[in-house]
Amino acid sequence: MFADRAKIFIRSGKGGDGHVSFRRELYVPNGGPDGGDGGKGGDVIFVVDEGLNNLSDYRHRGKFCAEPGEEGGKRRCHGANGKDLILKVPEGTVIREAETGKVIADMSGENRRQVILKGGRGGLGNMHFATSTMQVPKYAQPGQNAQELWVNLELKVIADVGLIGFPNVGKSTLLSRVTNARPKIANYHFTTLSPMQGVVDLGEGRGFVMADIPGLIEGASEGVGLGHEFLRHVERTKVLLHVVDAASTEGRDPIEDIYKINQELKNYSEELASRPQIIAANKTDAIYAEDEDPVARIREEFEPQGYKVFSISAVSGKGLKELLYYIREVLDTLPEEPVIFEQEYDPSEFLLDEKLPYTVEKEDDHTYVVEGPKIEKMLGYTNLDSEKGFLFFQKFLKDTGILEELEKAGIEEGDTVRMYGLQFDYYK
């Protein structure tokens, strides 16, 4: 089955933690700190693979994680960086944030490779935190947390011209006649269940890409049948070629069909409905009524509305040359760049958790010692004798997670906390 949608969970690699260690060498009994830094976590990167044409690789596996960075080591050894995760997708894949539906990236045009989630930065080892007053720091910086996200992958066909119309009006036959595509063709509804593409060669570099979008039905814009799956592919196309059965071989009115399909396009997207549209009145070889010209009736109805109508037969080839050259003329008036979806959601704006390096140690049954470089720096510029300064100090302890760590260590009301010469009693 053609897979043009998938929902997957992606996660970058967590940064490796910094290491706590001290030099222990002969004749150097009290060496300084030498804990190394942690490695960077792996990124999650999407890459366009020209050999892919669907998203089947993501239909049966839903979780993809990059490698975490390694912890730093002794003797200033840097932890190894985590391996990046490369996810290959076909050109035209749109990556959306699953909850909001906002576009993260459009893997089209010049965008062949994009980092979607960045790996966490490795934490600093304790060798970075030695100061004149703290020469044996017993803390290191934890690595940054990984980023994680549920995303929807949507494959939208990239083509200059999209064939639209009800099932069984001859779109597949037309595509096979004018391009190198070889779609399966049969006389029943929904023969085409996946978009087919082919290149129309007009010579002298004037060709263009045409796609057969599977047949639409009433209610498609509301998700009836395979409506949304089909309509999403039309979004990429610059020109819509509306194919109708002018001979009414199945008893349907071609004028009514055109109005119904255009209403579905409008319901789905006003912008899509406003794209240049050409009407191809097909199956004229099957018109036998001499007293009525259905193509003339279609022209009278739609050409005053700005739609150019061509009388064609995909089977015999009648009228195809004139139609294709007119399509080329219309394309020449439009921008050459493919339809690209702009980014609406940037995962890099997520704040990676920054954890302060500090230690919380229980000195005795009722005394706890808290140490860390940013704590020491904060105390240096905060006036704890003022009410405003003390409130700032309390907020700092809460925001950095120190109060939470003290509670985990078992602190109770009335116990003493010491920080670089400062001593206070703990009360909730």
Side-chain angles (χ1 to χ4, degrees):
M1 181 179 176
F2 181 80
D4 62 356
R5 287 190 306 167
K7 182 178 180 179
I8 63 172
F9 174 83
I10 54 175
R11 182 167 61 207
S12 61
K14 178 189 178 299
D17 295 338
H19 190 71
V20 177
S21 61
F22 300 90
R23 288 174 57 200
R24 290 293 180 265
E25 300 174 22
L26 193 62
Y27 309 119
V28 188
N30 297 313
D34 69 350
D37 301 341
K40 176 185 174 298
D43 298 334
V44 177
I45 304 171
F46 280 78
V47 174
V48 171
D49 186 334
E50 304 289 351
L52 296 177
N53 61 7
N54 62 60
L55 297 170
S56 57
D57 290 347
Y58 303 98
R59 290 298 291 269
H60 305 294
R61 180 184 168 197
K63 187 175 182 180
F64 299 85
C65 303
E67 286 186 357
E70 287 188 358
E71 182 185 353
K74 298 179 180 179
R75 299 181 182 177
R76 300 175 177 254
C77 288
H78 195 293
N81 293 335
K83 188 177 180 181
D84 293 337
L85 174 66
I86 306 294
L87 298 177
K88 296 180 179 180
V89 293
E91 183 176 9
T93 300
V94 178
I95 305 164
R96 297 180 183 270
E97 198 275 323
E99 187 173 344
T100 63
K102 292 183 177 180
V103 175
I104 298 173
D106 185 350
M107 306 305 293
S108 308
E110 296 181 358
N111 187 23
R112 320 304 286 180
R113 183 181 190 276
Q114 184 163 337
V115 177
I116 301 298
L117 295 182
K118 294 183 179 179
R121 189 177 62 245
L124 300 176
N126 71 331
M127 64 178 179
H128 294 277
F129 300 114
T131 66
S132 58
T133 57
M134 175 53 63
Q135 298 183 8
V136 284
K138 299 176 183 177
Y139 40 76
Q141 187 180 35
Q144 283 182 319
N145 283 343
Q147 289 182 321
E148 55 186 43
L149 201 60
W150 280 96
V151 296
N152 289 329
L153 306 181
E154 294 181 357
L155 177 58
K156 297 177 187 283
V157 166
I158 298 177
D160 299 305
V161 179
L163 299 177
I164 60 171
F166 272 89
N168 208 27
V169 294
K171 299 190 304 297
S172 295
T173 304
L174 174 60
L175 185 72
S176 67
R177 181 86 189 202
V178 301
T179 75
N180 55 357
R182 293 293 173 263
K184 177 184 176 185
I185 300 171
N187 189 28
Y188 49 86
H189 292 330
F190 289 105
T191 302
T192 305
L193 289 178
S194 60
M196 293 289 296
Q197 287 178 283
V199 177
V200 177
D201 185 8
L202 298 179
E204 300 178 356
R206 288 171 52 79
F208 53 86
V209 178
M210 181 181 286
D212 173 12
I213 309 300
L216 298 174
I217 59 175
E218 284 185 85
S221 59
E222 299 170 4
V224 175
L226 299 177
H228 282 169
E229 283 80 350
F230 295 166
L231 283 164
R232 115 168 18 99
H233 292 291
V234 192
E235 291 183 279
R236 290 278 194 201
T237 56
K238 300 176 184 177
V239 173
L240 302 178
L241 181 57
H242 201 148
V243 183
V244 292
D245 178 1
S248 300
T249 57
E250 297 191 347
R252 292 202 312 266
D253 181 1
I255 291 178
E256 206 174 295
D257 282 359
I258 293 170
Y259 278 121
K260 285 179 179 178
I261 293 296
N262 283 347
Q263 187 59 49
E264 294 303 325
L265 293 176
K266 189 174 182 180
N267 291 345
Y268 183 76
S269 166
E270 290 276 0
E271 192 275 331
L272 182 58
S274 67
R275 300 254 174 95
Q277 186 175 141
I278 302 164
I279 296 174
N282 191 26
K283 300 192 179 182
T284 55
D285 56 302
I287 298 174
Y288 299 109
E290 297 180 0
D291 58 336
E292 184 183 359
D293 183 358
V295 177
R297 196 164 63 92
I298 296 171
R299 282 200 177 100
E300 289 172 7
E301 182 72 23
F302 291 102
E303 289 202 339
Q305 300 180 38
Y307 298 103
K308 182 75 173 175
V309 179
F310 284 84
S311 173
I312 69 165
S313 169
V315 172
S316 68
K318 172 194 167 187
L320 295 184
K321 183 177 180 181
E322 294 82 358
L323 171 64
L324 296 177
Y325 276 95
Y326 180 76
I327 292 172
R328 182 66 263 179
E329 288 177 17
V330 174
L331 288 171
D332 288 341
T333 67
L334 302 174
E336 290 187 12
E337 298 78 16
V339 178
I340 303 292
F341 294 88
E342 298 295 327
Q343 185 180 43
E344 302 169 326
Y345 186 96
D346 186 359
S348 67
E349 293 179 359
F350 288 131
L351 292 177
L352 288 165
D353 290 343
E354 285 281 5
K355 295 182 179 179
L356 292 174
Y358 57 80
T359 57
V360 175
E361 293 185 356
K362 190 171 183 179
E363 191 172 68
D364 56 44
D365 289 345
H366 301 287
T367 305
Y368 295 80
V369 179
V370 179
E371 292 179 343
K374 290 195 177 181
I375 299 171
E376 183 182 15
K377 183 178 180 182
M378 186 275 300
L379 291 174
Y381 59 70
T382 304
N383 180 11
L384 299 180
D385 293 331
S386 70
E387 182 180 357
K388 187 175 180 181
F390 190 73
L391 288 173
F392 173 79
F393 172 65
Q394 285 184 308
K395 186 175 185 302
F396 175 84
L397 296 181
K398 182 179 180 180
D399 291 348
T400 55
I402 292 174
L403 290 182
E404 186 179 347
E405 289 297 322
L406 285 168
E407 289 171 2
K408 285 181 182 178
I411 196 168
E412 296 180 357
E413 290 200 6
D415 287 350
T416 300
V417 178
R418 288 198 293 107
M419 296 181 184
Y420 297 99
L422 174 69
Q423 183 170 305
F424 63 92
D425 295 331
Y426 173 78
Y427 291 98
K428 282 192 176 182

